[in-house]
Every structure is written in C-alpha cells, then in structure tokens.
Amino acid sequence: VSALAPLGQQMAPYACQRRTPLLHSNQPLTEALETLAEDAGFSGSEGRSLAFTRAASVLKALPGRLSALEELGPLPGIGEHSRRVIQDVLEDGVSVEVERVKLSERYRTMKLFTKIFGVGVRTASRWYQEGLRTLVDLQERNTKLTRQQQAGLRHYEDLNTPVERGEAESIGRMVQEAVQRFLPGASVTLAGGFRRGKPHGHDVDLLLTHPEAGREAGLLSRVVSWLDSQGLILYQHSQENSFALHEGPEPPGGRDVLDRFERCFSIFRLEAQGRLGAARGWKAVRVDLVVAPVGQFPFALLGWTGSRHFERELRRFAGHERKMVLNSHTLYDTRLNLFLPAASEEEIFQHLGLEYVPPTQRNA
Ligand code: 8DG
Ligand code: MN
Ligand code: MN
C-alpha cells in the first residue's frame, strides 16, 4: 500500500460533497469506465450505467494519478466490476472488455444514431433492431423521422463538431442583443459545461431572466421569432412554462433532469469565425434557451450548470440526507413542509448543509 492510500478515507460519498475539477490525472481510467457506462445505458441497464458513472466520478476527484488498485482502499462507490476494469487498465494500459465494446457493431451503431439531435436510446435501439446501421440506411430505407431528427441529420456533421467557447460567447451576445430589444434589463447567462470551465461543448445553454418577477413572461417567443426573422435560426421547438407552485413539490426521483421552464431547443446559424468556418461561411450550433422567473433563477442556474452526474447527486443528497426535494425550480423541506427560498447558488448549498462548490469544481 503506497502513500496514496489515505485517499479513500478522505473521499466523501456524494459527488456534490466533493470538488471535481475539469482536468484530472486519471483520464484513461475514467474514459474506460464511462465507455462501459454509456454501453450499459445503450442496453437500458440504468443501474449498471450509474455504477460505472459513479466509479468514474470518484476517480475524477482523486488528487493524484492512481498507479495501483490497492491505493484506492475502501473507496465508496467503486464496485467489483469497476475495480476489475481499473486493474486491467493499470496493468495492461487497456481493458479487453472496453476495447471489445468499442469495436462492437451495436455500440458503434448506437453511438452513431444517438449523436443525431432528437434521437435517444430508445429510437436508436429500435433502428438497430430493424437492421439499420448507417446514416445512409436511414435515408435509403425512408425511416420515419421527426422534424427535429430531420434537422439533426441535415446538420449532423456541424452538430458533432465541438462548439468553441468563442462561438458560445458570440451566440450569447446575439441572444442578449435580441433580448434587449424586447425587454431591457433582462439578462442572459451562459450555463452548462462552459460555466464549468469547459473549453468546448456539444451545445450552448443560455438562461434568461429579468430582475422584476413576471416581466420575463412571453420574452422567449419574441426573441426566437426575431432571431428567426433575421435568418439566424435553422430549427427550433419551444415549450411553454408548465410549472405551478401551488401544485406543491414533485415527488423525488420522478422527473430527474427535465424541468418545466419555458424553453427553446434550437439550432442556430452562426456566421463563420476564423479559418474553420471560412470555407463555407456558417456553422450549425445547438442552443438551449431557458427562461426562469428571478425567484427561481438560482435553482435554474444550479440545475443547468451540471454536470449531469453532479445534479443527480445533489438531488439524491437532498432527498436521502436532508429529506428535501431539489429541482431546477425550488427546494422543498418535507419535514418543515415549506419551500426554502434562495437568492444565490450559495444559499442553496447553505440550505442543504453543503460546502459551496463553485461551477468549475462541479465536473463530476
Ligand atoms: P456539453 O453541452 O458541453 O456537452 O455538456 P453540458 O452542458 O454539461 O450538458 P447539457 O446536456 O447541455 O446539459 C446541461 C445541464 O442542463 C445538465 O446539467 C442538465 C440540465 N438540464 C436541465 N433540464 C434539461 C433538459 O430538459 N434537457 C437537457 N438536455 N438538459 C437539461 O436542467
Ligand atoms: Mn451544454
Ligand atoms: Mn444543453
């Protein structure tokens, strides 16, 4: 047992109790585990998928590079199977199991299909069962596609080219400009992976609000219509706000990630920046726009900053350890039977009795 041994003892069981930076020293290990998590998700084994995700997340929070399995000690959240994978990668540089998954026809096809905007595991799985294997197959066999999937297919290459931070910022400015036209004083905040410090991402997540509650109502449709009229939107579908406080809190576990804000899932047409897009002049970029009333803004910001695993752990912690229900709208204390208001993310962590974790340390 080496000097890293006490690591295991220091590791808190919930990801929201740990600081997880973007860059860490165990990339090959977490990549292997996350491939297995993804593959388990592809076959609908949510429990197994979560177990691998948890193990990967623990490794991301280690302060140093793991060189032997024994250094882990009795770490929480790393099961038998994950330990075997870790050992294989440490000893041989690769895990045979992971390499086999990566080469498998099913994994490769599922990966290809789920990278289409609007295609989830269920649809991809059905297509795979039907014998479809390539994007050309989808077209040649006249597979029935939603309008969203058609857009996803049309812009497949662009949408699977990482969005650079500079591109995310220009889209933020475009939206800000449109927002100012219709509701001066409203703000646009970049959330998602970029807020966690990622240099690139798969989309741009923007949160809209106004300091006066209620003023934000109706803003999104005006903003989207205007951007559309300027030829800046290649695809969009919007959803109205369906959140009602008087309904009381949602039971925990029900809707895990989804929330009920007014929102727009879209594809923007971004004028080319620098050499990359110069050949063609523009690039398709996925953008999520969400509107939150100011009273719910800190919850929305916390919910839309991610990572997905960090969010899941926050909610699990709230429920199991505090008997509270946390979502992107509110925090509800089921023992006191009341909503706990917050004016900042810091206050939400305080209510939960958690040390504040800044966005750049939420890369769980
Ligand atoms: P990336 O885009 O850089 O790949 O990573 P990301 O920014 O962390 O992922 P994301 O898929 O854009 O999700 C950002 C956060 O938004 C994530 O923590 C979950 C949260 N989120 C909600 N509701 C919804 C929803 O309805 N759909 C999606 N896709 N994300 C949601 O709170
Ligand atoms: Mn994102
Ligand atoms: Mn998103």
Side-chain angles (χ1 to χ4, degrees), residues 193 202-203 205:
H202 99 283
D203 70 354
D205 303 290

Side-chain angles (χ1 to χ4, degrees), residues 29 32 36 69 81-98:
L29 298 175
L36 296 182
L69 193 59
H81 196 158
S82 293
R83 283 176 190 268
R84 224 158 47 230
V85 174
I86 292 169
Q87 180 148 35
D88 288 346
V89 176
L90 287 177
E91 283 174 4
D92 310 330
V94 289
S95 146
V96 173
E97 185 187 2
V98 173

Side-chain angles (χ1 to χ4, degrees), residues 191-193 202-206 265 286-290 304 308:
H202 99 283
D203 70 354
V204 183
D205 303 290
L206 295 172
F265 300 99
R286 271 273 300 117
V287 180
D288 286 335
L289 300 172
V290 190
W304 280 80
R308 279 172 179 280

Side-chain angles (χ1 to χ4, degrees), residues 23 44 50 60 75 85 98 101 114-115 135 142 184 186 188 212 247 274 295 315:
L23 299 173
L50 192 54
K60 290 178 188 175
L75 262 184
V85 174
V98 173
V101 163
T114 52
K115 277 160 59 182
L135 300 182
N142 285 319
V188 177
E212 236 175 282
E247 283 176 14
R315 289 164 198 211

